[in-house]
Amino acid sequence: MGRTLHFLEERTVVSSNNYEKTIRLYRCESCQECPFASECKKSEDQARTVSFSPDGEAYKQKARQMLNSDKGLHMRSQRGIEVESAFGDIKYNMRHRRFLLREKHKVYVEYGLLAIGHNLRKVYCEKSGCWAAYYAQRARKRA
């Protein structure tokens, strides 16, 4: 709305995973008579405060460049085929909804067993040919 943001301070913030980032805080000169004040800010008595992280913006820009490169576009197109179908198969066909164990190393072992079961089922179906009829039926439906 054409209002000026004034620099307040620069802080170093530590996230829950011990990542340090520097943020710069800016405050609007005045929010009085602004038609968007109720949507823009949380408190009625203070002006809008905006935080900005120069390092974070640089990382976002680098990520955007990598995602929009030829290699990034190719890798994104492969993601649904290679990775997410296995997770969906484990969740839906193996009916896995939540982990039974707690602690990171136990969950790692539990998911390893699920992945082994998934891979063994794929090998069995490939060798026995039990999926051939299923895929033939799907191809007939599409045609």
Side-chain angles (χ1 to χ4, degrees):
M1 294 301 298
R3 310 282 167 99
T4 306
L5 296 174
H6 297 286
F7 175 72
L8 284 179
E9 65 177 310
E10 190 170 278
R11 291 184 193 165
T12 301
V13 180
V14 180
S15 68
S16 60
N17 59 355
N18 292 332
Y19 176 73
E20 278 189 20
K21 70 177 180 178
T22 302
I23 59 169
R24 297 174 59 90
L25 296 174
Y26 296 88
R27 181 166 288 157
C28 182
E29 60 185 11
S30 172
C31 292
Q32 292 179 351
E33 299 177 17
C34 179
F36 302 109
S38 61
E39 300 168 20
C40 182
K41 60 184 187 158
K42 296 177 184 173
S43 172
E44 284 296 321
D45 57 337
Q46 291 186 358
R48 169 69 186 215
T49 303
V50 177
S51 63
F52 173 76
S53 172
D55 294 337
E57 292 301 317
Y59 287 132
K60 287 180 194 176
Q61 181 62 30
K62 184 177 179 184
R64 269 189 223 103
Q65 287 174 350
M66 291 172 67
L67 287 169
N68 293 326
S69 70
D70 290 338
K71 182 180 177 184
L73 291 171
H74 175 72
M75 290 178 75
R76 282 193 346 219
S77 71
Q78 294 298 311
R79 180 177 175 185
I81 299 165
E82 294 175 354
V83 177
E84 294 188 9
S85 60
F87 287 119
D89 188 44
I90 288 170
K91 284 176 69 175
Y92 183 76
N93 294 329
M94 296 173 74
R95 294 179 177 87
H96 179 71
R97 292 286 180 248
R98 63 178 60 222
F99 290 100
L100 301 172
L101 304 174
R102 299 293 176 251
E103 296 181 27
K104 195 173 185 177
H105 67 280
K106 291 178 183 178
V107 169
Y108 182 80
V109 170
E110 185 177 349
Y111 194 77
L113 291 171
L114 284 166
I116 290 170
H118 170 75
N119 289 335
L120 286 173
R121 196 173 101 245
K122 280 174 51 178
V123 169
Y124 168 76
C125 290
E126 178 71 28
K127 298 289 183 190
S128 69
C130 66
W131 278 352
Y134 171 73
Y135 285 119
Q137 179 186 19
R138 284 181 60 186
R140 280 194 302 274
K141 284 183 180 179
R142 285 185 186 163

